[in-house]
PDB file of all heavy atoms in Angstrom:
ATOM      1  N   SER G1293      -7.281   2.165  -9.689  1.00  0.00           N
ATOM      2  CA  SER G1293      -6.455   1.637 -10.780  1.00  0.00           C
ATOM      3  C   SER G1293      -6.957   0.238 -11.125  1.00  0.00           C
ATOM      4  O   SER G1293      -7.616  -0.403 -10.313  1.00  0.00           O
ATOM      5  CB  SER G1293      -4.979   1.600 -10.379  1.00  0.00           C
ATOM      6  OG  SER G1293      -4.779   0.687  -9.331  1.00  0.00           O
ATOM      7  N   LEU G1331       0.939  -4.446  -3.070  1.00  0.00           N
ATOM      8  CA  LEU G1331       1.191  -3.223  -2.322  1.00  0.00           C
ATOM      9  C   LEU G1331      -0.130  -2.500  -2.106  1.00  0.00           C
ATOM     10  O   LEU G1331      -0.942  -2.407  -3.028  1.00  0.00           O
ATOM     11  CB  LEU G1331       2.148  -2.335  -3.136  1.00  0.00           C
ATOM     12  CG  LEU G1331       2.575  -1.008  -2.541  1.00  0.00           C
ATOM     13  CD1 LEU G1331       3.513  -1.226  -1.359  1.00  0.00           C
ATOM     14  CD2 LEU G1331       3.290  -0.180  -3.607  1.00  0.00           C
ATOM     15  N   VAL G1335      -4.226   3.959   6.132  1.00  0.00           N
ATOM     16  CA  VAL G1335      -4.519   5.364   6.400  1.00  0.00           C
ATOM     17  C   VAL G1335      -4.848   5.509   7.882  1.00  0.00           C
ATOM     18  O   VAL G1335      -5.683   4.783   8.417  1.00  0.00           O
ATOM     19  CB  VAL G1335      -5.711   5.847   5.545  1.00  0.00           C
ATOM     20  CG1 VAL G1335      -5.994   7.312   5.791  1.00  0.00           C
ATOM     21  CG2 VAL G1335      -5.452   5.581   4.070  1.00  0.00           C
ATOM     22  N   ASN G1342      -2.870   6.154  15.793  1.00  0.00           N
ATOM     23  CA  ASN G1342      -2.385   4.770  15.798  1.00  0.00           C
ATOM     24  C   ASN G1342      -3.468   3.757  15.456  1.00  0.00           C
ATOM     25  O   ASN G1342      -3.316   2.573  15.724  1.00  0.00           O
ATOM     26  CB  ASN G1342      -1.697   4.411  17.118  1.00  0.00           C
ATOM     27  CG  ASN G1342      -0.450   5.223  17.327  1.00  0.00           C
ATOM     28  OD1 ASN G1342       0.346   5.414  16.407  1.00  0.00           O
ATOM     29  ND2 ASN G1342      -0.274   5.736  18.536  1.00  0.00           N
ATOM     30  N   ASP G1348      -7.049  -0.752  -0.477  1.00  0.00           N
ATOM     31  CA  ASP G1348      -6.510  -1.327  -1.700  1.00  0.00           C
ATOM     32  C   ASP G1348      -6.970  -0.468  -2.874  1.00  0.00           C
ATOM     33  O   ASP G1348      -8.111  -0.029  -2.911  1.00  0.00           O
ATOM     34  CB  ASP G1348      -7.035  -2.757  -1.850  1.00  0.00           C
ATOM     35  CG  ASP G1348      -6.497  -3.441  -3.067  1.00  0.00           C
ATOM     36  OD1 ASP G1348      -7.095  -3.249  -4.153  1.00  0.00           O
ATOM     37  OD2 ASP G1348      -5.514  -4.173  -2.956  1.00  0.00           O
ATOM     38  N   LYS G1361      -2.129  -8.881   6.717  1.00  0.00           N
ATOM     39  CA  LYS G1361      -0.806  -9.456   6.960  1.00  0.00           C
ATOM     40  C   LYS G1361       0.179  -9.018   5.886  1.00  0.00           C
ATOM     41  O   LYS G1361       0.068  -9.400   4.732  1.00  0.00           O
ATOM     42  CB  LYS G1361      -0.915 -10.973   7.033  1.00  0.00           C
ATOM     43  CG  LYS G1361      -1.722 -11.389   8.234  1.00  0.00           C
ATOM     44  CD  LYS G1361      -1.895 -12.867   8.330  1.00  0.00           C
ATOM     45  CE  LYS G1361      -2.669 -13.158   9.599  1.00  0.00           C
ATOM     46  NZ  LYS G1361      -3.460 -14.321   9.570  1.00  0.00           N
ATOM     47  N   PHE G1366       6.342   0.750   5.135  1.00  0.00           N
ATOM     48  CA  PHE G1366       7.252   1.888   5.014  1.00  0.00           C
ATOM     49  C   PHE G1366       6.460   3.137   4.693  1.00  0.00           C
ATOM     50  O   PHE G1366       5.353   3.076   4.168  1.00  0.00           O
ATOM     51  CB  PHE G1366       8.333   1.626   3.952  1.00  0.00           C
ATOM     52  CG  PHE G1366       7.812   0.999   2.683  1.00  0.00           C
ATOM     53  CD1 PHE G1366       7.439   1.778   1.601  1.00  0.00           C
ATOM     54  CD2 PHE G1366       7.693  -0.373   2.575  1.00  0.00           C
ATOM     55  CE1 PHE G1366       6.958   1.201   0.442  1.00  0.00           C
ATOM     56  CE2 PHE G1366       7.215  -0.955   1.411  1.00  0.00           C
ATOM     57  CZ  PHE G1366       6.844  -0.169   0.343  1.00  0.00           C
TER      58      PHE G1366
END
Side-chain angles (χ1 to χ4, degrees):
S1293 65
L1331 181 70
V1335 182
N1342 295 317
D1348 182 275
K1361 294 178 178 151
F1366 44 93

